[in-house]
Structure formats: C-alpha cells, structure tokens
Amino acid sequence: MDYFKKLSDLLKTEREEDRQSYLRLTETTSVSERRANGLAWYPVAIRGSEMSRGDYLTVEVERTTHQDISHQLRFGMPAVLFSNHDAKKDRLEGIISHQSGNRLKITLRTDELPEWSRDGKLGIDVLFDDNSYDEMQNALKAAGILAENDKEGRLVQILTGEKAPAFQTDVPELRIPKLNPSQLEAVKKIVSANELAIVHGPPGTGKTTTLVQAIKALISREHKQILVVAPSNTAVDLLSEKLSEEGLHVLRVGNPVRVSERLISLTLDSKMNAHSRMKDVKALKKQANEFKNMAHKYKRNFGKAEREQRKALFDEAHKIMKEVGTIEQYVIDDLISKAQVITATLVGSNHYTVRNLKFGTVIIDEAGQALEPACWIPILKAGKVIMAGDHLQLPPTIKSAEAARNGLSTTLLEKNVAAHPESVVLLEEQYRMHEVIMGFSSKIFYENRLAAHASVAHRLLFPEDSPLAFIDTAGCGFEEKKEGTSTTNPEEAAFLFKHLSQLVSEFVQSKPDITPDILKDFPTVAIISPYKEQINILKEQLLHADSLQPYLSSISVNTIDSFQGQERDIVYISMTRSNAEGEIGFLADIRRMNVAMTRARKKLVVIGDSATLSQSAFYRDFIEYAEQFNAYQSAWEFVD
C-alpha cells in the first residue's frame, strides 16, 4: 500500500539523519565531550554481575563522578562497556536492561567479563539505537500487508482513512460522578466505539482522569486485557500510577523514570522478585555461578584433562541456566495473564515479554507527540484503538527537516481527527488557568469552546493583581543578538528579572501576616523562552538577581518543550526576538506558543517587542487580546 511505502521512506530519511548526528557527536569526540553530551557515563565502577537469559552476563555499574550531568542512557538502548586504556579494542556491546539514579545494568553478549574489565578506567557509551528503527520499519511493513486484507485489515483501513469507523448504539447509561459532561461523553464514545475513538484534551482539561475512568469502564464491561502506551516513559509512568491507585492490576513493562515505590512495585522485575517460584531461580543461578567460578580456576594451567573439566563445568552451568530460563518464562506468563492493564512505551510494547500478545483495546496517550511509525507497533496488537492527546500542542521531535517537511511531522492523531470527526470528543472544561489566561488559546485553537472551572476561573496571585500582562519592549533598544544558531536578548532577560522581583515584593506585601516559612506558600514560577541560548543567559542572570535568591527553589528556567504537560502559578515568557526586519524565526510555530501560554495557573507575563512580533497575525491578535483586559504595558513604564 502506497501509504506505508511513503511512511517507510520518510522513516529511512529520519534514521539516516539521526545516525549522522549521532556520529557527529561521537566519532571524533573525547570521552569527556561524550559525557557532556549525555552519551556516556565515565568513569564507572562494576558493582556486581549475574548470569541472565540466554547465557548472557548482566553487569551492574555505577557512575562514580559527574552525577549531575543529564544523560540519554535509557532502558532498552544498545550500549557498550569500554576501557579507556584502549577504547577501540577493549569494548563489549550489550543492552541496558535497567537504569535508575546513578546505577544501571547492562546485559552483555558474553558469558564472562574480560581481563581488561579489572583494570579500572571503565565507561559506558550509548550506541545508535537501530533497534527502535527496526521495530518501526517492521511494523510499517506488517501494517502494509494487513491493509490489503479486507477482513483482517479493517482497523488499518480505518486509521489510514480508507473506511469509516462504526459505533454501537445500545450502550447502557454510564454514571461516573467525578467526571464533567464532556469527560463523560468521551468515556461513552470510547465504550461505544468498535474500532476508533479520539479524546482531544486541551491543556488542563483532565485527559488523564478521563482515560483512567474509560479504562475502568472498558474492563468492567469487556473483562479483556488492555494495553496502554505513550511515546515517553514519563507519560507511561503517570498513567501506570493513576490506574494502580484506582485498584486495577497494572503491569509496567520496561523501566520507569520516576522512581517512586508505587511505580517500582508495578514493574515486571519487582513482581517477578515477589513470585513464589523465584526462590528456585535464585538457588539455580547460585549453583550455575559456582560451576562457572570453578571453571575459571582452570584459566592459568591448561592441559587436556583441565580443558575437558572446564568444558564439563561450563556445560553444567549452561544446562542450569536453560532451566532458569524455563522457570522465568513460566513466571512471566503467569504475571502477564493476571494483569488487567499492561503499560509500556510505544517501542517498549514489543518487548519480548509481550511481543506476541493481542489486546481487545490499545490506548495511545500523548498521541499528539507520537511519531506515526512508532504508533503502528502497538496498533498491530489491537482490536480497537483509542487515541488521546492534543495535535494543537507540540508535535513529535524530528531530526530530519526533509522528513518533517514531507509529512513525518504529521501525526496519526492529526490525520484521524481530520478524517473521522465523528470519533472525536473535545474536553471542554479546564481546571488549570484563570479564564483570562485561557481565553486567547481557546479562541485561536479551540473555537472558543473551553470554559474555566469555577475553582480556577477567577483565581489570582493576590487580591487586586491581574492574571495577564504583555509588556512591550519596542523602542527600548533591547536588540536581539545571534549566538551560533540560537538567538539571545540579554537586556530583555535583565528586564524580566527586574519585573519578577517587583512582582515578588508585591506578593510578599500582600500577605501582612506572613511568617518566616513564607516559602511554603510561595508561588511556583516558570521562566520560558523558545531559544536555548536565551535560557542559558536567563539561568546565569537568575543567580545574580539578589532579591530572588531566597526563592530559587520555586523558580525553574527552561525551554518551552521541557514544560509540556507541566503547570506553574506564574509563567514568564521571554520572546527574545527584536529586530528591524521583523523576523520572528521559529516563534512562527504557534503550537509551541500555545503550550507556553497555557502553563500558567494565576499569572502569565509575556515580554516582547511588539514591532517585531506584529509581523505575525497570531501575535497581533494576542496583543489586541491583552489590550481588551488592560493587560498591555510598555516596558518604559518600569524604567527608573
């Protein structure tokens, strides 16, 4: 089918671009540069090892320094253990089988550690992740074949726009008191759908709450296992936790990022450890290791008899590990059969433990950020598909501009919202923002259909404060500067902190009965800019803003992308662009601005140059919107 052929070609382009950028970052760089780029842990110390499935060796390592550097070493990624004495020769490839804090386990394709691993100077490099791309390409190929089959391929044909979805009309009345009318309607749509339902959840509208209740309703009606997936580990963790809190039996496949007790107890590893048959496994593994250790004693002095003895000991260890594999498989099958909901990332849904399972319903959360080829991995296991997300917020990250331009950045969610409007329910009530903060986004993106719940509609930082401010820096001489491929505006940053300091002092004065533990009640603040270099300048200046030092723990500074899905009491956006040509670069991506402007609960402050921004109709409309609420101010008003 041409549909999948085209997608497959786009994915090849993306894979090549991704591989090239990985090579640029690793080929000629030193280990300290790779560490700074988040691609390596170095130095590491070995903290233990044990035999694992298929006679491989699983080694636990700990990074002993540079523990504050963020990194890309994740569960399921291919990686290599290397010695920095001779990193080209002394290296062993494997897969990261667990990662938490500063420790990880890597399963190596060997049954014993080499000599060089005893000399220190060890590190772990993450390798290019061919596995994820292979999984996506295989799924596209399988979906293409399925699409040709009229009976079996009906779901595929609906999702590619060839056929229309169907709904049951005789669904009994649902009563779920904790849901509002549009949330309840979404649950009804999900329950009545034969093949497809879509929950369109704008910021703050309780999409997760809705999904959790829908999953409960499906399980109580159909008594079938459900697969719940999302593109990021964080989103999977959130849903796993909420579903478990509602009393469902959840099995989290893969490695959670949020290391809460509750989440760890939902993982396959944790449930396996608690299983009654694992006592036998531990005893057998111990026995196998003893045989191997005995075999290693024959390393130094070799004759024919020793060689045979060594081989016999290794054979014995292998035989025991085969038995271990059989028992472990029994335990895994047992645990999977007892789970009501299995949760995983999109690619993780093809983990060996669940690879061949089929599900009545597959739910894809955060589908607005999911790369389409990755969605087909879980869809191939589904009788029906539920997608939830917001295609008017950030799209998935794509490395190849060419692949993005030719359609890879258009998500399956977007295509199906357009093709099957009868499947879509928009959640209309939001529980995050003051109605003035919400209003502009509602008007531009959601046909004015959003309403603020009474509990938040009029909530302010303090009495007499206003929820919205656009502060115009036009004519103040705050010129943007080019920093490599990024843009900065140091004067705008300095002005932002001056404004925030003033707001903080007004907040403190508004609380006459304030006690020394004001920090407990101090509002949370996000300072956002679309430009990475501007973020660096903002972080730097924040450390020198004297009046803000007591409140640093409440203030976070980061790019828009890193705040998707989060909220704060106060949000400042530094627009950064200010030039005579009226060039706004990627501020033109209004979906990104939709995310930025909808993070704030009680106050949103946008700082920018109206002369530059007004080149775009979107920003012209926003400035007009601010004027309606007396929220437009010139930066001149604040100049001493």
Side-chain angles (χ1 to χ4, degrees):
M1 188 176 175
D2 288 350
Y3 182 97
F4 291 103
K5 167 85 177 73
K6 182 184 174 195
L7 259 184
S8 178
D9 291 344
L10 290 173
L11 189 61
K12 281 180 192 144
T13 308
E14 171 69 1
R15 180 186 203 146
E16 202 35 54
E17 178 59 46
D18 196 4
R19 187 198 307 277
Q20 290 309 324
S21 81
Y22 170 81
L23 291 175
R24 283 194 294 276
L25 277 176
T26 53
E27 289 256 278
T28 53
T29 52
S30 67
V31 68
S32 54
E33 288 171 296
R34 294 199 302 280
R35 180 174 62 201
N37 282 320
L39 298 170
W41 278 12
Y42 180 84
V44 300
I46 292 179
R47 295 292 183 231
S49 65
E50 57 167 22
M51 297 175 74
S52 67
R53 295 176 71 85
D55 288 338
Y56 288 161
L57 185 70
T58 294
V59 179
E60 182 170 24
V61 304
E62 180 172 18
R63 65 169 168 173
T64 46
T65 66
H66 299 81
Q67 294 177 333
D68 53 338
I69 298 180
S70 64
H71 62 88
Q72 296 171 32
L73 285 73
R74 300 274 178 272
F75 168 82
M77 299 273 294
V80 61
L81 175 72
F82 66 87
S83 159
N84 215 29
H85 290 297
D86 186 350
K88 289 270 186 283
K89 186 163 81 29
D90 298 342
R91 49 193 285 123
L92 264 178
E93 292 191 5
I95 298 283
I96 296 173
S97 47
H98 189 83
Q99 188 269 309
S100 150
N102 288 304
R103 289 199 172 205
L104 64 77
K105 290 181 180 173
I106 178 169
T107 300
L108 299 165
R109 299 189 182 101
T110 178
D111 56 10
E112 54 183 321
L113 275 171
E115 284 293 328
W116 54 258
S117 69
R118 294 167 184 75
D119 303 334
K121 287 223 151 195
L122 300 178
I124 301 268
D125 267 333
V126 61
L127 294 174
F128 181 70
D129 188 6
D130 272 311
N131 173 49
S132 297
Y133 283 104
D134 288 343
E135 294 280 15
M136 289 190 267
Q137 286 290 8
N138 294 340
L140 292 176
K141 197 167 158 188
I145 293 166
L146 202 56
E148 305 297 322
N149 178 330
D150 252 14
K151 191 162 168 284
E152 302 276 296
R154 178 170 163 78
L155 179 61
V156 179
Q157 291 159 354
I158 288 167
L159 291 170
T160 53
E162 303 277 309
K163 286 191 171 154
F167 297 88
Q168 303 157 31
T169 48
D170 54 347
V171 176
E173 195 53 42
L174 286 164
R175 282 194 178 76
I176 309 172
K178 57 172 79 166
L179 297 187
N180 68 41
S182 62
Q183 291 172 329
L184 194 60
E185 192 193 332
V187 175
K188 276 186 197 150
K189 182 74 76 179
I190 288 170
V191 169
S192 67
N194 288 337
E195 305 90 3
L196 172 69
I198 297 172
V199 180
H200 182 186
T205 52
K207 171 174 63 75
T208 307
T209 306
T210 307
L211 281 184
V212 168
Q213 294 305 319
I215 291 165
K216 279 179 75 175
L218 284 171
I219 285 173
S220 69
R221 280 173 56 98
E222 297 170 6
H223 306 291
K224 284 189 190 145
Q225 216 170 32
I226 292 178
L227 175 64
V228 176
V229 290
S232 72
N233 273 303
T234 317
V236 177
D237 289 352
L238 177 69
L239 269 165
S240 306
E241 222 160 0
K242 297 274 189 232
L243 288 162
S244 164
E245 280 164 14
E246 287 284 331
L248 294 170
H249 290 287
V250 179
L251 179 64
R252 165 73 159 99
V253 173
N255 186 189
V257 181
R258 299 183 19 212
V259 198
S260 67
E261 278 304 300
R262 176 154 214 146
L263 261 175
I264 296 296
S265 68
L266 303 178
T267 61
L268 188 61
D269 287 353
S270 164
K271 289 183 188 244
M272 282 178 78
N273 286 336
H275 196 281
S276 56
R277 287 299 309 268
M278 290 308 278
K279 283 200 286 291
D280 308 341
V281 167
K282 283 199 178 87
L284 287 165
K285 274 189 176 172
K286 194 173 166 208
Q287 213 180 332
N289 274 323
E290 278 162 10
F291 279 122
K292 289 189 79 167
N293 291 338
M294 282 154 69
H296 287 308
K297 295 209 172 74
Y298 293 104
K299 261 204 168 150
R300 304 278 174 255
N301 44 355
F302 259 102
K304 186 168 185 296
E306 284 87 0
R307 194 171 288 122
E308 279 170 6
Q309 184 60 34
R310 179 181 157 110
K311 185 180 178 316
L313 287 163
F314 268 129
D315 286 348
E316 198 52 44
H318 288 310
K319 209 157 78 199
I320 295 171
M321 285 309 291
K322 255 205 167 81
E323 198 181 334
V324 166
T326 311
I327 299 174
E328 285 188 339
Q329 196 52 55
Y330 162 77
V331 171
I332 288 167
D333 293 344
D334 185 41
L335 289 170
I336 283 175
S337 68
K338 291 193 170 92
Q340 293 170 298
V341 184
I342 290 176
T343 62
T345 58
L346 297 166
V347 176
S349 66
N350 231 6
H351 190 249
Y352 73 89
T353 49
V354 290
R355 175 156 285 170
N356 302 315
L357 296 184
K358 290 274 182 268
F359 298 87
T361 304
V362 167
I363 293 180
I364 304 176
D365 190 20
E366 299 297 356
Q369 284 193 281
L371 207 55
E372 178 174 351
C375 290
W376 287 100
I377 300 170
I379 289 171
L380 291 172
K381 306 171 184 299
K384 90 174 179 187
V385 171
I386 312 302
M387 285 188 261
D390 184 5
H391 51 290
L392 303 171
Q393 293 185 60
L394 286 177
T397 307
I398 293 172
K399 299 227 164 65
S400 158
E402 183 193 343
R405 220 179 21 252
N406 290 326
L408 192 59
S409 61
T410 308
T411 59
L412 193 61
L413 174 72
E414 238 171 307
K415 292 177 183 177
N416 279 277
V417 166
H420 306 302
E422 70 279 21
S423 294
V424 184
V425 174
L426 176 76
L427 301 181
E428 296 181 0
E429 190 164 20
Q430 66 82 22
Y431 298 83
R432 174 183 299 163
M433 298 164 265
H434 189 289
E435 60 186 12
V436 173
I437 300 174
M438 170 202 79
F440 182 66
S441 174
S442 177
K443 174 181 158 208
I444 299 292
F445 294 97
Y446 307 107
E447 304 166 357
N448 259 334
R449 286 172 61 188
L450 295 191
H453 185 259
S455 62
V456 300
H458 306 293
R459 213 170 38 169
L460 295 168
L461 261 185
F462 50 87
E464 312 306 309
D465 188 37
S466 56
L468 177 68
F470 171 72
I471 301 175
D472 188 358
T473 62
C476 292
F478 298 174
E479 290 291 314
E480 65 178 65
K481 300 178 176 41
K482 282 276 165 271
E483 297 284 339
T485 55
S486 196
T487 306
T488 64
N489 194 326
E491 281 106 343
E492 181 177 290
F495 175 79
L496 184 151
F497 287 117
K498 194 166 145 189
H499 189 277
L500 175 57
S501 300
Q502 196 175 324
L503 181 67
V504 165
S505 77
E506 285 171 24
F507 172 78
V508 174
Q509 282 162 10
S510 74
K511 303 217 171 298
D513 49 350
I514 211 136
T515 53
D517 63 354
I518 173 190
L519 279 176
K520 208 164 78 273
D521 312 315
F522 192 77
T524 53
V525 184
I527 297 170
I528 304 180
S529 169
Y531 293 95
K532 279 212 175 73
E533 280 306 318
Q534 181 72 347
I535 292 297
N536 293 337
I537 285 184
L538 287 160
K539 284 181 173 167
E540 174 65 27
Q541 290 193 8
L542 175 58
L543 298 176
H544 302 290
D546 295 342
S547 60
L548 296 174
Q549 297 312 300
Y551 314 112
L552 285 187
S553 59
S554 304
I555 303 174
S556 22
V557 183
N558 221 323
T559 57
I560 296 173
D561 301 43
S562 66
F563 280 109
Q564 172 133 343
Q566 299 187 48
E567 51 187 76
R568 297 288 191 276
D569 295 322
I570 304 169
V571 171
Y572 273 79
I573 307 175
S574 166
M575 301 297 280
T576 311
R577 299 307 297 251
S578 173
N579 54 66
E581 298 70 45
E583 281 176 12
I584 62 167
F586 72 10
L587 290 187
D589 179 358
I590 62 174
R591 288 191 295 189
R592 187 170 258 111
M593 283 323 289
N594 185 31
V595 173
M597 290 173 172
T598 53
R599 301 303 99 203
R601 296 187 194 109
K602 303 174 184 174
K603 190 171 185 84
L604 170 66
V605 182
V606 180
I607 300 176
D609 176 342
S610 65
T612 302
L613 295 174
S614 291
Q615 301 305 311
S616 143
F618 174 80
Y619 295 109
R620 265 203 312 278
D621 288 349
F622 174 68
I623 294 167
E624 263 173 42
Y625 177 81
E627 282 169 338
Q628 283 169 29
F629 294 97
N630 281 332
Y632 171 91
Q633 292 171 291
S634 164
W636 282 105
E637 295 170 35
F638 297 88
V639 175
D640 311 331

